[in-house]
Amino acid sequence: FFFDHLSVDRAALCKAQLFVGRTMAHPKLRVLCLHGNGCDSEIFKFQLSTLTSKTKDSVEFVFLDGLAPSTMIDPVLLKVFPKTNFNHLQYMTITGVGSKDGMRYEGVDTAVDYVLKAVASLGPFDGLLGFSQGSNLATILIGRAERGMIPKHWRFVITMNGSRSRWADEMLDVFASELQIPSLHVIGEADPLKADTESLTELYSAALRTVLRTAEGHKPTRDQEAVAKICAFLSEQQQAPSHL
């Protein structure tokens, strides 16, 4: 995974994050955010700060830490967000990277249960937003909800740099047909996983999905044009009636 080279102070970062809950006078969208492998909620807050700063009056982003220490951490990520200041977590364990059969996950059911417990405690939510592994877990959650395997807790989803691989092929019952939910998908043209990201979007309804392309690599977008379009998508969802 590839990130900008910069140093980040966790204490300063936490102090800078302001997330105000919804009020009766000004209801906000509530979006549950799932980070990428090797990150934590504070890292993801920083990565999404371009978006959250522009939507602070209309959207409440709730960031959920991963379940366990990551078994596979990018060295560049460790330089930017050192272990002395940040946690490096995962929701699911990655296996099969680089194999001809493709990447798969262990602990999917545990991760799904973990998110559902978080929803029961922190919800309700209007939407899901995920980056990388978080996008893949979000897609699994939406798929299971569509098939009636779990309750429907979200009415839209945003994925950033997700990657369809063997893990999706092993869930034919979940992805037997396109997911019927408004969705927005960010694809980095310089992302080495671009082809898998393209494939992930195809799990979603062509009539309900929006695809954004940036010149970036495998990272949550900070592209101003893309962020503006994400803001517009969120505004549309805020105006849409809830059918949950």
Side-chain angles (χ1 to χ4, degrees):
F1 303 104
F2 304 91
F3 295 83
D4 292 330
H5 292 272
L6 69 161
S7 60
V8 181
D9 179 79
R10 184 187 182 94
L13 174 59
C14 294
K15 185 177 181 181
Q17 301 300 323
L18 298 175
F19 297 96
V20 182
R22 67 169 74 185
T23 66
M24 292 299 291
H26 191 88
K28 294 184 177 185
L29 280 181
R30 301 193 77 238
V31 179
L32 182 63
C33 301
L34 306 177
H35 59 71
N37 176 62
C39 296
D40 70 358
S41 59
E42 295 303 327
I43 294 174
F44 202 24
K45 286 178 185 179
F46 175 80
Q47 293 172 327
L48 286 184
S49 59
T50 303
L51 172 63
T52 58
S53 66
K54 293 182 181 298
T55 55
K56 61 181 183 293
D57 294 329
S58 58
V59 184
E60 179 185 2
F61 294 93
V62 178
F63 294 82
L64 181 65
D65 274 329
L67 264 168
S70 175
T71 57
M72 185 180 297
I73 309 173
D74 179 64
V76 175
L77 184 65
L78 287 173
K79 290 182 180 179
V80 178
F81 302 101
K83 285 186 175 181
T84 53
N85 295 324
F86 296 92
N87 297 309
H88 298 276
L89 306 171
Q90 64 184 20
Y91 300 103
M92 306 171 289
T93 301
I94 302 171
T95 64
V97 173
S99 70
K100 65 178 181 179
D101 293 327
M103 183 185 73
R104 58 193 304 272
Y105 289 124
E106 295 178 356
V108 172
D109 289 343
T110 301
V112 168
D113 289 344
Y114 172 69
V115 175
L116 293 179
K117 288 178 181 177
V119 170
S121 174
L122 303 172
F125 294 99
D126 299 287
L128 265 177
L129 184 155
F131 166 69
S132 195
Q133 182 177 114
S135 289
N136 299 344
L137 179 55
T139 298
I140 292 168
L141 288 161
I142 295 299
R144 290 193 178 191
E146 289 265 320
R147 309 305 170 219
M149 299 175 181
I150 63 173
K152 287 187 176 182
H153 290 293
W154 307 277
R155 55 187 178 86
F156 67 88
V157 62
I158 298 173
T159 71
M160 297 180 176
N161 305 85
S163 56
R164 180 180 178 181
S165 189
R166 181 181 173 188
W167 63 266
D169 297 334
E170 293 178 344
M171 302 181 188
L172 296 179
D173 55 335
V174 175
F175 302 118
S177 59
E178 291 182 341
L179 304 179
Q180 301 297 314
I181 186 171
S183 63
L184 184 147
H185 310 276
V186 181
I187 299 174
E189 293 293 337
D191 188 345
L193 300 177
K194 175 188 170 184
D196 292 336
T197 304
E198 299 265 13
S199 184
L200 183 78
T201 68
E202 295 172 1
L203 296 175
Y204 291 84
S205 167
L208 296 175
R209 71 179 181 237
T210 300
V211 176
L212 297 182
R213 299 180 185 277
T214 76
E216 298 161 305
H218 195 84
K219 55 188 287 188
T221 184
R222 288 176 173 270
D223 178 86
Q224 292 295 328
E225 183 177 350
V227 168
K229 291 180 179 178
I230 296 172
C231 291
F233 175 82
L234 289 168
S235 180
E236 290 175 4
Q237 301 312 311
Q238 191 166 36
Q239 301 303 318
S242 174
H243 298 293
L244 295 179

